[in-house]
Amino acid sequence: VGALAAATALSGSLPLDTEPANALSLPTWAVHVSSVAEWSLAMGLVWKYADHSGNKAWKGLTLAMGLTLFNAYTPCTWHSFYNSPAIGALVPMQALLTLTGSTARAFAAYRICEEGKRLDAGESSAQPSQEAQMEFDEEAFLLKLALVAGCGAFAVKYGELFAPSFFMEPNYVKALALMALPTAATTALVANGGSEGGKPKLSMADVKSFGVAGTVSYVITELAFWAVAFPLAFSWYRVAEGSWLDLSNAADKAKLLGAGTVFINGVRLLVPVRLAAALALAPSVEKGLKGMGVDLKKEQEEEQEAPAAPGSKNFEGEWADSPEVDNEKTFSFGQLAKNLAGFQKNRDPEGPPLGGPSGLEDLSSRLPDCPKTRWDSEDVDIKAVQKQYREEDIPDVLTIDAKETIQGDEEEWLRSNKDDIKEKLLKHGAILIKGMETSKSGAGFRRVYEALDLDVCLDPIHTSGLRKFAIEQDGIYEEVNKPGLRQHYIGLHNESTTNRTAAFGAFVCFMPATEGGGDFFVADGKRILRDMDTEVLQELYDKKIRISVSNLDFFKPIIQDRGLFGEFDKDVLVPRAKDDLAKAIGDTVAPKFDMDLEMVWGADGANEGYRLQAIELPETPINRHPVTKEPLWFCNMHNHSRYLRDNRPCTVPEVGMTETFFGDLSAIPEHILEEVDRASRENIIPTPMKPGDVLLVDNYRMLHGRDIFQGDRLHAVSWFTWPEEANIKEAVSNTSEGNSLNKMINKYVDTLK
């Protein structure tokens, strides 16, 4: 994608061709690229399994699979030449290759079976490999496969438009070369990539075998590599964007989300080359060190580094008992790169206030879905409801002082009073339990919510990456404490999307902001509905609301209209590229967020129409409570309105910037947004919390938010579903892909300061 973007930026000097009508769509190309990538990977795995099992006949299956890979490149080649009749023989050739490949694999399977019989009978001396089995990172694999398929499809579909006409004139020599060369290269790579025992030929252990000289040569090699890689990457950005990258600008950091992923995965592919360079350099370094008088003993005892004690930090500033800690204990140039870019993590000299998991049943793979949003918004008589609420004495947030109220064991008291607490939660909308000792640790907090018999579930926006797990085994999320969002004011919102809404929530304080601020606050949706201007409320209710949750601006350098073919670019080429991109992302990426998103170009008119926005479906700002049936203000526009965000502290990067529209995607007038802000702010109830304090909220009735803060802050939250939905696990967010998105976006947001 980076190379393609650079080529596009320079396309004024390139003979750009246009696609014919029978060109494949971007999703179709993605299927082809993914199929080839998966089959190539399968060949490598089969080859390695031959060493692992001791049955060398499996390697014959790999070679037979090479024929099918050759076959897979046949339709790709034909489509690359836009199904030209000049190479029409590829079609029957594919049928012949299908038969040949299947026959070869059948024969290979027969050989595997016969060799297996000989091994079972003890006629062979081959022994299975005793190497330790490595855990397969399914989440990382799926992300990489999606990245390869998406980028490969985009590069093939649009990259060939830049190819000189000579290369695009179809003939059988070129076609066979396009089929044979990658097949031969893949097969050779697979066959030469494994060694005895299935171990890689090059590893860090080879470098370390040279002792000090190996370490020094590796450092020199890495410094040289990154000294070249970073200037090249920044230069590409200059060409693609027209300006140098400004890492002090949060918007520029956001643009790294797309390109940075490609860059990091690209340099990972060069790890074997870098290791080989370090090995080649090691003898010279060893000779040089000896010449300098450095005593290099060939026989050195290996120093076994003891694992960090729980509660201590590694060099990246992460807790040693955190699942995010890299246990490799080696210097990382990836970390060096983050430090140079100002992405280093904050260091907290104190021990972790959370503590470890509770030791109760591990919920890591058992958390049910956040429940579907229960909509009941038809035929609300706004005037009558407002009149009723203005005559009614609406209860305030209930505060319980644990030190005065609870005598004896806190958990037992909660267990004995759980029904009364739940009843009062429906009445008041929120209950603040102050001064508890049990909930001063993560393990204790879990015992608190279990004592109340609350059914924990996933966050409604689990895949958004705004919250990562504080203790995944206990279903506890870290509240928004990220360094990059310290100075971001979080407006009032229910924890909900058009698609999913938690029934209840429990917020807990483990450590208030160390340098002030960060107070949590709530507002009663019943009061907001009561106090809002009737005409404004009626207009919002009639026209409905749509919320944009993300801005994707980094496609502009690739698809923008450069006027190479006059009106054809504007009327055909650019709209086609936009449609393909929106469809590809809408069909593949958007569903992973489980938010019923529509991909829309330029809804807010920004970025010359090249902004792709992910927008939720229309919803009403008023909804009846699922239990009490009372109409409530149930809308997140106070938090998501761009106009309101621009007029208060906001540090969200542009890629995560939100906006609100009427249901027809027309702009909401400022006077309406200001009235929503007024009615919301006037009903805010600050709820400052100390360690151990727990705030229970009815998520349909009570909106919540958070003020800006300084220093470090550690609050956490767990979300709860309805009892009748406590065992449902069907959401996309409740899959390995959903968890991968949560972790990946969290890591990115953690870099923003």
Side-chain angles (χ1 to χ4, degrees):
V1 174
L4 183 58
T8 307
L10 298 173
S11 60
S13 60
L14 294 175
L16 179 64
D17 290 329
T18 57
E19 287 186 313
N22 65 346
L24 295 190
S25 67
L26 199 60
T28 305
W29 267 120
V31 171
H32 280 292
V33 173
S34 177
S35 298
V36 170
E38 291 173 47
W39 192 261
S40 301
L41 176 63
M43 289 173 62
L45 293 175
V46 170
W47 186 277
K48 290 182 179 297
Y49 184 71
D51 291 324
H52 179 79
S53 65
N55 187 338
K56 302 301 181 183
W58 281 98
K59 293 186 177 181
L61 178 60
T62 300
L63 299 178
M65 292 172 71
L67 284 173
T68 304
L69 181 64
F70 185 70
N71 182 27
Y73 280 114
T74 306
C76 295
T77 301
W78 194 51
H79 295 318
S80 296
F81 289 107
Y82 302 113
N83 308 345
S84 172
I87 52 174
L90 292 185
V91 177
M93 180 181 178
Q94 182 186 9
L96 177 61
L97 286 172
T98 300
L99 175 62
T100 305
S102 298
T103 303
R105 294 197 309 277
F107 179 69
Y110 170 76
R111 291 185 64 248
I112 292 170
C113 180
E114 290 301 307
E115 180 65 14
K117 291 178 181 178
R118 285 194 293 272
L119 289 174
D120 291 340
E123 298 176 11
S124 173
S125 60
Q127 294 294 326
S129 169
Q130 298 300 316
E131 64 174 344
Q133 184 176 358
M134 296 181 64
E135 182 179 354
F136 176 62
D137 190 343
E138 180 183 355
E139 299 172 356
F141 166 73
L142 291 173
L143 284 174
K144 290 178 181 178
L145 179 61
L147 183 67
V148 168
C151 294
F154 207 93
V156 173
K157 179 174 176 61
Y158 296 110
E160 61 181 329
L161 297 179
F162 299 103
S165 58
F166 167 77
F167 293 103
M168 295 310 298
E169 294 174 358
N171 62 53
Y172 286 111
V173 174
K174 296 175 188 174
L176 290 174
L178 283 175
M179 296 159 56
L181 290 178
T183 301
T186 302
T187 305
L189 182 65
V190 168
N192 294 325
S195 61
E196 293 305 317
K199 298 179 181 178
K201 288 187 174 181
L202 287 180
S203 70
M204 196 62 196
D206 298 309
V207 176
K208 290 179 178 179
S209 67
F210 280 87
V212 175
T215 302
V216 172
S217 65
Y218 179 69
V219 170
I220 293 173
T221 302
E222 289 292 281
L223 286 174
F225 173 80
W226 290 105
V228 173
F230 272 110
L232 284 177
F234 278 90
S235 298
W236 163 77
Y237 185 93
R238 174 70 176 82
V239 172
E241 293 290 332
S243 62
W244 291 105
L245 182 65
D246 180 7
L247 290 175
S248 65
N249 186 326
D252 274 15
K253 284 186 179 181
K255 293 177 183 178
L256 289 175
L257 180 60
T261 303
V262 179
F263 174 72
I264 293 299
N265 281 278
V267 298
R268 282 179 177 175
L269 295 176
L270 297 176
V271 167
V273 177
R274 287 145 57 189
L275 288 173
L279 284 172
L281 184 62
S284 299
V285 171
E286 186 175 34
K287 182 177 179 181
L289 291 174
K290 287 181 178 179
M292 296 169 59
V294 179
D295 184 18
L296 300 175
K297 296 180 180 179
K298 290 188 177 181
E299 294 184 2
Q300 298 177 343
E301 295 184 5
E302 289 189 279
E303 296 181 1
Q304 300 294 331
E305 183 177 0
S312 63
K313 291 280 189 87
N314 68 353
F315 73 93
E316 290 185 344
E318 296 172 314
W319 297 115
D321 52 5
S322 165
E324 300 295 330
V325 175
D326 182 1
N327 293 317
E328 192 175 334
K329 307 297 184 187
T330 57
F331 182 81
S332 163
F333 274 88
Q335 179 63 22
L336 173 62
K338 288 191 285 186
N339 291 342
L340 291 174
F343 288 171
Q344 63 271 20
K345 292 182 172 65
N346 280 330
R347 299 183 181 223
D348 177 8
E350 300 177 357
L354 265 177
S358 65
L360 301 174
E361 180 185 12
D362 189 343
L363 302 176
S364 301
S365 60
R366 299 179 62 84
L367 285 175
D369 300 343
C370 178
K372 291 280 189 179
T373 302
R374 299 188 175 186
W375 288 104
D376 181 9
S377 56
E378 298 299 321
D379 302 321
V380 176
D381 187 337
I382 293 177
K383 289 184 178 180
V385 171
Q386 286 186 316
K387 181 177 184 298
Q388 174 189 336
Y389 288 175
R390 287 166 185 165
E391 296 173 352
E392 184 179 328
D393 184 15
I394 301 176
D396 294 326
V397 172
L398 177 64
T399 299
I400 298 175
D401 189 327
K403 296 190 182 301
E404 295 180 0
T405 306
I406 302 177
Q407 305 297 324
D409 184 81
E410 292 177 339
E411 294 176 54
E412 183 56 37
W413 185 88
L414 292 169
R415 201 172 288 111
S416 301
N417 292 273
K418 62 183 180 182
D419 293 334
D420 181 57
I421 290 174
K422 290 178 180 178
E423 182 180 337
K424 289 179 177 176
L425 184 58
L426 288 175
K427 178 181 178 181
H428 294 265
I431 299 176
L432 177 61
I433 307 177
K434 300 178 67 69
M436 288 221 295
E437 293 294 326
T438 306
S439 47
K440 286 186 176 180
S441 69
F445 178 58
R446 176 173 177 180
R447 294 198 301 272
V448 165
Y449 76 65
E450 289 202 346
L452 291 170
D453 198 21
L454 295 170
D455 297 295
V456 69
C457 68
L458 286 179
D459 189 305
I461 50 174
H462 177 69
T463 48
S464 74
L466 286 179
R467 291 193 184 90
K468 63 182 178 183
F469 279 114
I471 304 179
E472 186 173 4
Q473 300 94 319
D474 292 319
I476 303 173
Y477 286 89
E478 185 176 315
E479 217 248 290
V480 184
N481 310 304
K482 300 181 184 299
L485 299 175
R486 288 186 183 116
Q487 294 300 301
H488 175 66
Y489 179 96
I490 300 177
L492 288 170
H493 62 286
N494 306 92
E495 204 65 29
S496 67
T497 67
T498 308
N499 192 29
R500 297 193 180 273
T501 302
F504 305 99
F507 295 87
V508 60
C509 172
F510 296 119
M511 180 179 70
T514 55
E515 298 176 28
D519 284 348
F520 199 76
F521 51 77
V522 295
D524 193 337
K526 193 172 178 179
R527 292 172 183 260
I528 294 174
L529 189 152
R530 177 195 66 186
D531 295 343
M532 194 174 296
D533 179 84
T534 305
E535 291 184 2
V536 166
L537 192 56
Q538 189 68 56
E539 184 172 0
L540 289 170
Y541 178 72
D542 292 339
K543 294 183 176 180
K544 297 187 176 181
I545 303 297
R546 296 191 71 176
I547 296 176
S548 171
V549 299
S550 183
N551 297 328
L552 305 180
D553 290 333
F554 41 78
F555 295 117
K556 181 181 177 181
I558 304 175
I559 65 171
Q560 69 184 106
D561 180 5
R562 300 185 182 277
L564 297 175
F565 295 93
E567 294 298 315
F568 182 78
D569 286 7
K570 176 183 177 183
D571 298 336
V572 179
L573 193 58
V574 172
R576 175 69 179 273
K578 283 185 172 182
D579 289 345
D580 285 348
L581 272 171
K583 186 176 189 329
I585 295 175
D587 290 347
T588 57
V589 179
K592 305 301 181 186
F593 290 89
D594 198 18
M595 295 175 67
D596 288 341
L597 298 173
E598 179 186 3
M599 306 306 298
V600 180
W601 287 98
D604 62 1
N607 203 27
E608 301 178 357
Y610 290 100
R611 168 171 288 172
L612 183 60
Q613 295 180 266
I615 305 179
E616 290 190 271
L617 299 181
E619 58 187 58
T620 61
I622 300 175
N623 191 23
R624 292 183 179 88
H625 192 283
V627 178
T628 67
K629 302 303 178 183
E630 294 177 318
L632 305 167
W633 173 258
F634 183 75
C635 183
N636 294 342
M637 62 186 300
H638 184 260
N639 184 41
H640 291 311
S641 163
R642 180 70 180 250
Y643 174 75
L644 297 181
R645 283 192 168 191
D646 286 345
N647 286 279
R648 64 191 184 214
C650 179
T651 60
V652 171
E654 190 61 53
V655 69
M657 202 64 175
T658 56
E659 179 60 294
T660 55
F661 305 92
F662 280 129
D664 60 0
L665 290 181
S666 60
I668 301 177
E670 291 181 5
H671 77 275
I672 290 182
L673 297 171
E674 290 170 353
E675 173 59 16
V676 170
D677 185 54
R678 181 202 65 78
S680 298
R681 284 182 177 272
E682 287 185 358
N683 284 291
I684 284 178
I685 302 172
T687 55
M689 299 171 70
K690 296 180 179 179
D693 290 355
V694 173
L695 179 68
L696 304 173
V697 296
D698 179 336
N699 191 44
Y700 275 82
R701 175 169 168 183
M702 198 66 65
L703 294 83
H704 61 274
R706 190 219 68 200
D707 204 350
I708 61 175
F709 67 94
Q710 300 284 348
D712 294 321
R713 174 183 186 269
L714 184 52
H715 286 223
V717 62
S718 287
W719 300 107
F720 308 103
T721 184
W722 306 102
E724 61 270 25
E725 298 186 40
N727 296 312
I728 298 177
K729 291 188 63 175
E730 301 172 351
V732 177
S733 57
N734 213 342
T735 63
S736 58
E737 297 98 318
N739 287 323
S740 295
L741 276 172
N742 175 276
K743 294 174 183 177
M744 181 180 70
I745 299 176
N746 257 295
K747 288 180 180 178
Y748 166 70
V749 177
D750 280 341
T751 66
L752 302 177
K753 300 192 71 176

